[in-house]
Amino acid sequence: MSSNNPPRSTHTVASRLTLWYALFYTLFCLVMLLAVTAVMNSNAVKRMDQYLSAEIDEFNAIYETDGIEGLAKEFRQEAEAYGAQKLFCRLLSPNREPRLTSNIAGWEGLDAELRAVAVPTVPLQPAFQMLYPAASPFNARMATLKTADGHLLQFGINLQSENRSRQKIQRFLIIGSVLFLGVSTLFSWVVAQRAMAGVKAVTRAVSFTRKDALDQTLPREKKGREIDDLVDAFNGMLARIQSLILEIKEVSDNVAHDLRSPITRMRGAAETTLMGPQEIEPYREMGSTILEECDRLTGIINITLEIAQAESGLLEIRRNPIDLYALLTDAAELFQPVAEQKNIRLDVRIAPAPLTLPGDQTRIQRVVANLLDNAIKYTPEGGEIVLAATADKQSVRFSISDAGPGIDPAETERIFERFYRGEQSRSSQGNGLGLSFARSIVVAHGGTLTVENNPDHGCTFTATLPLVPPETR
């Protein structure tokens, strides 16, 4: 038996954050350790070279003033002061033959090391060089100076004590880096756990949210702006879900109610015909009734689907130039006889000038027809309907004002919902889709459809359509 549930990750966000922090701290400690070691070694070499340069310059001054005798005395004093194992001093002839040497008995293989030393070419300018490998106990730094008469002065110092000092410092740095890495990783884990505590709290609350308790929102516990934003987003999602569920329930009830009536009529017509005399005329009447109700059902379904497509952005809008002046005047002429039957005055207040805009002419005509039909339906006999239109540089606006009973302020927005019928319209024919269809088409054109009660009586529906299609702005 297989499951469609995706496998759960075994790594938590907190563990991943801790791992990333640990990697970052490791790289940081490694870079800092290498940088500090490099700087420390460079400074040590500079200080040693400065010391060697000063000492060998002093040897050269003694050689120039006191000769080999004075230099030999200086060599002995240096060896006695620092120890023969710590340093060596030499004076070489111009052909590199030793003329004066300090005690070098403790320096194993020194002659072989010194044979590889380069001879300075510029007099009185010391050259520096390392002797022996760094791990050797004889590792040394030496300076070679060419005197004015061509002799070579060599002075070297064993670096063993300096190397041990640097190694101690490096070990201290490594131990400090490891401790820092451990403490920082632990701190990162604590911070990550605290940061995710709010998310865990939201997750627990979400897991206990029941479908029958969507009105119970999560409290803001002030665990950080991001967590508060997450709580607000979740509460907003719950509110939208609850609103959608209520809307679906209401739409379902309205659909069931509007579909039940024609189906009941068709069933009643069929039962009456089958129970009556078996004559052709009753069957014709039944067929006519069934066709009429089927057309009504088809119209309801088609309009519902068209509204759904428009609200989801899937409705195809053909944008061709529309002369709104001609469209509105033609619609007024079409509804004029219907208005006259109720003794209603249809007043058209549009300047005789082209009002051109891009749009789907057929659907805009249906919008105007729905609004005019709605106005005539609720305007009492002897009333007046005003059809007006204006334009500016950005949009075209047309309005239809009636003299009906007006709209309850609590129902102002709900009248545009699918299948919604206010208290004033319960007794009149209709399915509650006309205004919803009108707004969805206007919105699909990038416009707005609003309603407001008139100061005296009735209400005004105003549609605003842009002169530039929304996708080209």
Side-chain angles (χ1 to χ4, degrees):
M1 182 176 179
S2 62
S3 175
N4 294 327
N5 294 328
R8 295 183 62 183
S9 174
T10 58
H11 302 288
T12 64
V13 175
S15 63
R16 291 182 180 181
L17 286 175
T18 304
L19 178 61
W20 279 110
Y21 282 133
L23 290 176
F24 170 76
Y25 291 137
T26 301
L27 291 176
F28 174 77
C29 292
L30 181 60
V31 171
M32 291 300 298
L33 182 61
L34 294 176
V36 170
T37 301
V39 172
M40 183 174 60
N41 291 337
S42 176
N43 291 337
V45 171
K46 288 181 180 179
R47 289 195 302 270
M48 183 58 66
D49 289 349
Q50 290 174 357
Y51 174 73
L52 291 172
S53 179
E55 288 293 318
I56 206 166
D57 286 341
E58 183 180 353
F59 291 165
N60 182 57
I62 294 173
Y63 173 71
E64 290 180 351
T65 57
D66 299 334
I68 294 180
E69 292 80 6
L71 190 60
K73 182 180 179 181
E74 182 67 22
F75 282 0
R76 285 193 302 272
Q77 290 177 353
E78 289 288 340
E80 291 174 357
Y82 296 99
Q85 301 292 333
K86 181 66 177 178
L87 56 81
F88 65 87
C89 308
R90 297 208 313 171
L91 176 65
L92 305 180
S93 65
N95 56 0
R96 303 192 67 176
E97 292 294 332
R99 296 194 60 187
L100 184 64
T101 304
S102 65
N103 184 7
I104 59 173
W107 291 78
E108 296 180 3
L110 181 60
D111 290 335
E113 290 285 334
L114 292 175
R115 280 196 293 269
V117 174
V119 177
T121 57
V122 180
L124 305 180
Q125 290 291 332
F128 304 96
Q129 189 166 346
M130 296 297 298
L131 299 178
Y132 300 96
S136 171
F138 305 105
N139 179 236
R141 181 79 172 172
M142 69 167 292
T144 303
L145 179 71
K146 188 175 182 181
T147 63
D149 59 1
H151 283 71
L152 296 178
L153 276 172
Q154 293 180 334
F155 178 54
I157 295 181
N158 190 292
L159 301 178
Q160 190 173 10
S161 61
E162 285 77 6
N163 291 339
R164 283 197 298 267
S165 298
R166 284 202 299 271
Q167 289 172 358
K168 289 180 180 179
I169 296 175
Q170 288 175 346
R171 282 196 297 269
F172 174 78
L173 291 175
I174 292 174
I175 294 173
S177 299
V178 172
L179 292 176
F180 173 77
L181 179 60
V183 172
S184 60
T185 301
L186 179 61
F187 177 76
S188 300
W189 182 81
V190 173
V191 171
Q193 290 292 331
R194 290 180 61 86
M196 299 308 297
V199 177
K200 291 180 180 178
V202 174
T203 303
R204 287 193 299 269
V206 171
S207 62
F208 286 108
T209 300
R210 305 189 308 274
K211 64 180 180 180
D212 57 344
L214 295 177
D215 57 339
Q216 297 181 1
T217 58
L218 301 181
R220 292 168 60 100
E221 299 182 357
K222 297 182 179 179
K223 292 186 176 181
R225 187 178 65 182
E226 294 80 0
I227 302 301
D228 290 342
D229 291 343
L230 177 62
V231 171
D232 292 341
F234 179 76
N235 290 337
M237 182 186 67
L238 283 181
R240 290 192 295 271
I241 292 175
Q242 186 178 23
S243 176
L244 288 173
I245 291 176
L246 293 176
E247 183 178 349
I248 291 173
K249 183 179 182 300
E250 186 173 353
V251 169
S252 301
D253 294 341
N254 291 328
V255 169
H257 178 271
D258 285 304
L259 295 183
R260 187 185 298 116
S261 297
I263 292 176
T264 302
R265 286 193 59 190
M266 287 189 288
R267 181 180 177 84
E271 288 180 349
T272 302
T273 303
L274 292 175
M275 294 175 62
Q278 302 299 306
E279 298 177 358
I280 190 64
E281 190 61 31
Y283 281 94
R284 287 179 176 174
E285 293 179 1
M286 179 186 68
S288 176
T289 301
I290 291 175
L291 287 176
E292 180 181 346
E293 297 301 328
C294 286
D295 289 341
R296 180 183 172 191
L297 286 174
T298 302
I300 292 175
I301 293 172
N302 289 339
I303 293 177
T304 303
L305 291 176
E306 198 166 356
I307 293 173
Q309 290 177 340
E311 291 179 349
S312 62
L314 299 177
L315 185 64
E316 181 181 358
I317 301 294
R318 298 183 180 88
R319 299 189 183 278
N320 299 314
I322 301 175
D323 185 354
L324 190 62
Y325 171 78
L327 188 150
L328 293 176
T329 53
D330 290 345
E333 292 177 2
L334 179 64
F335 281 86
Q336 184 67 42
V338 182
E340 290 177 353
Q341 289 179 1
K342 292 184 63 175
N343 193 25
I344 296 174
R345 181 170 178 265
L346 183 55
D347 187 6
V348 180
R349 301 176 183 177
I350 308 174
L355 298 175
T356 305
L357 74 154
D360 192 321
Q361 181 164 339
T362 302
R363 291 192 169 96
I364 296 298
Q365 286 175 336
R366 292 170 62 186
V367 170
V368 176
N370 281 343
L371 295 178
L372 281 174
D373 179 71
N374 198 64
I376 293 174
K377 183 186 300 183
Y378 294 106
T379 299
E381 291 188 9
E384 182 184 42
I385 297 174
V386 177
L387 175 60
T390 58
D392 54 32
K393 294 181 179 180
Q394 297 180 343
S395 61
V396 174
R397 183 180 298 104
F398 69 89
S399 61
I400 297 176
S401 304
D402 60 54
I407 300 175
D408 187 343
E411 298 179 344
T412 301
E413 284 300 320
R414 299 207 63 191
I415 62 173
F416 294 105
E417 297 177 4
R418 279 174 281 185
F419 297 103
Y420 179 79
R421 303 184 69 189
E423 295 298 330
Q424 305 271 1
S425 59
R426 294 292 183 184
S427 59
S428 59
Q429 294 183 352
N431 50 33
L433 292 174
L435 292 178
S436 179
F437 171 80
R439 170 173 273 192
S440 64
I441 295 301
V442 171
V443 172
H445 280 76
T448 58
L449 178 61
T450 58
V451 61
E452 59 179 348
N453 286 320
N454 295 330
D456 298 332
H457 215 48
C459 59
T460 300
F461 288 88
T462 303
T464 304
L465 297 169
L467 293 176
V468 179
E471 61 268 17
T472 61
R473 294 181 190 175

